[in-house]
Each structure stands twice: as C-alpha cells, then as structure tokens.
Amino acid sequence: MKKKKNRKKAHTPKKSHSFFLANWLGSDIAIDLGTANIIVYVRKRGVVINEPAVIAVDKDTHKVVAIGSEAHAMLGRTPRHIQAYHPLQNGVIADYDATEYMLRYFIHKAIGKALLFKPRVIICVPSSITNVERRAVMEAAMQAGARKTVVMEEPLAAAIGAGLDVASSNGSMVVDIGGGTTDVAILSLSGIVISESLRIGGNTFDEDIIQYLEKIKHITIGQHTAEELKILIGTACKDGRSLTADVRGRSTETGLPVMMDIDSQEIRQALDESIQRILRAIVSILEKTPPELAADIADHGIVLTGGGLLLDGFDRLISQTTGMAAYLCDEPLLCVANGAGKALREMDRLKDSFDDA
Ligand code: ADP
Ligand code: MG
C-alpha cells in the first residue's frame, strides 16, 4: 500500500489547493496570444503557462504530435512527414484550425475542465488581426469552454501591465515588439487614440541575421542559431555591448560545415534596416499625437514592452531618437498577460474597451 502511494506521488504533478478550488468554482483567465509565445494567466494564481506558440503536425495522418515547448524544440529538425510551425505569423492567423487547437489545449492545460462555472476569458491578440480573425479567436475560446470571451487590444493590456493608470486622461505611449509585429500606440481614457502596427518583430531580426551572414560572411545558419546570436551578443547601438561568438553553419561556397567569429557590431548592422523602420514608426506616431497628449508623454516617457525590446541598447536608442525617456517595463515578456490579468479584476469598469462577444 505504502509503496503504491509513493509511486503515485512521484509521478503526479503537484496541484495546489487553490488549483482544485479554482477549478471547482471556474476561474477567469487572460491569454496573451502572441506570435512567438502564448501566456495564460489565471485569476488568483497568476501566470501558469508560458510556452512558445508552436504546433507540430503529422502531415500524413493530420494529427497534432506536439504543442508548445515540445513542438518548438522540433523546429527545423523534423522528419519529412512532421511539420512544426507558428500558427500565428506576422501578427495574422496563418492557420486557423491550428490556432484553435492550440488555444483549446492551453485553456484546458491551465484550468482543466471547469466543473461548476465556465471561465470568462480575456484574449489579447496582435492589433493587426482582422475582424474575421478576431471573431475566429473568440469562437475558439468559446469552443474551448469559455462562458464569455472578450478581445482586448494588446497595447492597452501592456499599459495596464506596466502599471500605468490607463483610465486617466493622461496620454501614454506604448511600444510593443513581439515575435512578428511591432505595435506603437498612444492611449488615453482606457482607449487607443492612435496606433500603428508593423509586420516587423523579433523573428524579422532573426531573418535579418541569417541574410546578412549569408551575404557578407558566406555562411548559412538556422533560425535557432540566429535567435541565439541576437540574444547573446546582439545590440541596437553603436556604443552598445561588444561581444564575440563562435558560429557554426554551412559555407555557401563549399557547402561544408564551417565555424567563424561574429561580433556585436555585425549583428547591429544586420538589424539596422528593421530597427530604423521601427524608429521611423515611433517618430511618425509622435508627430501625429495631439499636443496635450504629446506633452504628457514627454513628461512620463515611453513604455517599452515585448521580447524584441530586450535587445541590448534598444531602449537607449529610442530615447536618443525621440529625445524622450523610454523605459522597459518589468517582465517585458509577461507584461501583456499581467495587464490582462489585472483587467480581469476590473472587467466591469473597463467594459467599454472590450469588444463584447
Ligand atoms: P509575442 O508577443 O509575439 O509572442 P514576445 O513578446 O514573447 O512575442 O517576444 C518574442 C521575441 O522576443 C522573440 O523574437 C525573441 O527572440 C525575442 N527575445 C526574447 N528575449 C530576448 C532578448 N534577451 N534579446 C533580444 N530578443 C529577445
Ligand atoms: Mg506580444
């Protein structure tokens, strides 16, 4: 008897008392459906899921073989009959069925089956998605067992997550660089006054690095390696960090494996064009901002969020270019989910900013 008990303990993930209580009562959840990562926040528990938004499908049987971290590890390494990919690309839903499947999987993983009340769900989506896609995401959440679903604009969630008082009439500015998109928005009175979404993000930076190294250094590298280089030695500034890394890849000349040194400034040059486009979008939004709000932003600074802005020196570059303070919020990868999580508590007060289901 005793042995059996021990074995069970070792193999069952520990679930807290609040997990069962929340399940029993049904708990509200907030989801940041990013192009790179999906984050699920459960009321009273906080962030419970933080995984890459990747799905792996068997092309012969059309069955899903892995989701999230497991599927991400397969990117670029799958046998011919398996395809691993991001169902959301460049801020649009590239594969609706896969998005719905993934959403349902993560909602169930986060809260199990709600026993008494179904959850209310806030979903934050890239602001560039169309109304049809918006409906599709809401539909997917309803299918996954939501009682009510609302879609929240990501910049608003990010601003709440960064601790701004979005309900006030003070203007604020949020720049969010995710995997596939950059969103620049001016907010006031819990709404978006003006915004722009670019289809440039952290993934674009990775692509830039791949192309640059192919053209200038005659070496072909994979996406994982490009992302690693960006994170480990990349910089946005001429006077940013100065590091070197050994890179393994394939020579474009001989087709054979090669290794070479790459430094931070080379990565900066690779990213320069994309970064300049982002800077131009930020300046152009500031130029279109009503003067009263622009004055508030000059006083309080620009809030930066999203994984793309973790690039070394990016905050400094934005500050230098605009002449305003720009600061990275706490937990830039979780800020949108944290903000939507806070909004769960204030669902009624912020009702006007939600697109009702
Ligand atoms: P999304 O909201 O689209 O899911 P995220 O906000 O999660 O995107 O950001 C993901 C992007 O952030 C990826 O492109 C990733 O490479 C990039 N990223 C994460 N950490 C860093 C870092 N330390 N330096 C530079 N880029 C980073
Ligand atoms: Mg995001």
Side-chain angles (χ1 to χ4, degrees), residues 32-37 124 126 154 176-179 181 183 305-307 332-333 336:
D32 172 9
L33 185 58
T35 50
N37 296 302
C124 301
E154 260 178 3
D176 178 355
I177 305 184
T181 52
D183 285 292
T305 184
L333 289 158
V336 167

Side-chain angles (χ1 to χ4, degrees), residues 51 92 120:
E51 291 196 40
V92 295
R120 290 187 297 179

